[in-house]
Amino acid sequence: MTDSGKQKHDGTTHFGYRDVPEKEKEGLVAGVFHSVASSYDVMNDLMSMGVHRLWKRFTIELSAVRPGHAVLDIAGGTGDLARQFSRIVGDKGRVVLADINESMLRVGRDKLIDQGIVGNMEFVQANAECLPFPDNTFDCITISFGLRNVTDKDAALRSMCRVLKPGGRLLILEFSKTNNPLLTKAYDAYSFSLLPMMGKLVAGDSESYQYLAESIRMHPDQETLEGMMKDAGFVNTVYHNMTGGIVALHKGVKP
């Protein structure tokens, strides 16, 4: 099953494979992440066998972030990217870790404070569809494994473009589509059998990980998402497939 990425026109949207009223999705997604917040890091390592660290490292490299830059990490969760950006931008830079989910934001904040990363960090509870920042604020915006949970992705992309400085970069790291039939078959078996089972054993919650597997399948494919970025005003768009297209990193620039 795939999703064009565009808003449905009947007042509903996707929550995994279910159609739900648009106004209810935010609360449903919040419930998922309230449930998994405390075990999120452990599950990330288990689910990806640690490979998510390589995907995020490539994101950092492609960001071209430099000392003194202002960076916004949307759906920043437990702070993996924000921690690295904080070290790069230094004392004169600024990193904002934003997440719509209070539980995830609290886990990320506590984790970074425990690691001594506080001087140039800010923590903001924010909805990606209507970011609470002035126009032309950030040199770089990242959103890692979060866009598929946003109700109105087009509105979120426009909002991100608005708060970027001209010449600023948006990087979207997200699960995507593989065109390899054997890999797709193996990935489906893993996602819908092993993933919920791991969720039950480690996080005590199989339903949330069932939703996460479904949400990956409903997310726009690489070409569709690139088109959405262009529609939102981004130029020089490009994407890089990783791990056979299971994950893709999209980049766009604000003109």
Side-chain angles (χ1 to χ4, degrees):
M1 300 178 75
T2 58
D3 184 354
S4 69
K6 300 298 182 183
Q7 286 300 99
K8 291 158 69 71
H9 297 291
D10 58 358
T12 66
T13 189
H14 299 296
F15 178 72
Y17 288 167
R18 292 162 47 198
D19 285 346
V20 298
E22 289 179 5
K23 61 184 180 181
E24 292 183 10
K25 179 170 179 175
E26 184 178 317
L28 291 167
V29 171
V32 169
F33 285 95
H34 282 312
S35 175
V36 304
S38 62
S39 57
Y40 188 77
D41 285 338
V42 173
M43 282 298 295
N44 268 356
D45 278 329
L46 286 173
M47 288 188 299
S48 71
M49 292 171 282
V51 178
H52 74 98
R53 299 174 188 275
L54 300 178
W55 299 332
K56 290 170 181 173
R57 185 183 302 170
F58 184 55
T59 304
I60 297 284
E61 291 172 357
L62 213 64
S63 72
V65 166
R66 298 289 181 265
H69 275 183
V71 180
L72 172 62
D73 184 24
I74 300 172
T78 56
D80 284 353
L81 289 176
R83 180 177 65 253
Q84 299 301 324
F85 283 132
S86 174
R87 291 169 176 160
I88 294 170
V89 303
D91 293 341
K92 295 183 180 179
R94 174 192 184 197
V95 178
V96 178
L97 191 159
D99 204 295
I100 195 172
N101 186 274
E102 181 185 358
S103 298
M104 292 294 292
L105 192 64
R106 185 171 60 248
V107 169
R109 182 189 62 215
D110 292 349
K111 177 181 169 184
L112 292 176
I113 289 173
D114 287 346
Q115 294 173 349
I117 300 172
V118 290
N120 55 11
M121 286 289 310
E122 301 171 33
F123 303 92
V124 177
Q125 188 170 359
N127 186 333
E129 297 172 22
C130 46
L131 293 166
F133 306 105
D135 296 359
N136 309 317
T137 297
F138 296 100
D139 298 284
C140 180
I141 294 176
T142 55
I143 179 167
S144 172
F145 304 114
L147 186 62
R148 71 181 188 279
N149 297 310
V150 174
T151 303
D152 189 339
K153 297 176 181 63
D154 295 306
L157 290 169
R158 291 193 300 270
S159 185
M160 294 175 208
C161 193
R162 178 184 65 78
V163 302
L164 269 175
K165 296 176 183 177
R169 294 185 173 197
L170 169 65
L171 293 164
I172 302 171
L173 180 64
E174 189 55 90
F175 292 108
S176 201
K177 304 292 188 290
T178 172
N179 291 321
N180 183 316
L182 290 176
L183 183 58
T184 298
K185 188 174 181 179
Y187 186 43
D188 282 346
Y190 166 78
S191 298
F192 293 104
S193 298
L194 287 176
L195 188 55
M197 188 185 303
M198 281 194 294
K200 185 174 183 178
L201 291 172
V202 177
D205 183 352
S206 61
E207 289 185 3
S208 290
Y209 285 93
Q210 178 75 24
Y211 158 72
L212 291 175
E214 292 176 1
S215 70
I216 291 167
R217 300 311 187 277
M218 300 303 293
H219 185 66
D221 63 20
Q222 290 91 325
E223 295 290 340
T224 302
L225 180 54
E226 184 177 20
M228 293 167 67
M229 292 173 70
K230 290 177 179 177
D231 290 344
F234 290 95
V235 298
N236 299 336
T237 56
V238 65
Y239 64 84
H240 302 269
N241 285 329
M242 294 181 280
T243 317
I246 287 174
V247 165
L249 177 63
H250 283 72
K251 185 190 79 172
V253 177
K254 178 174 178 174

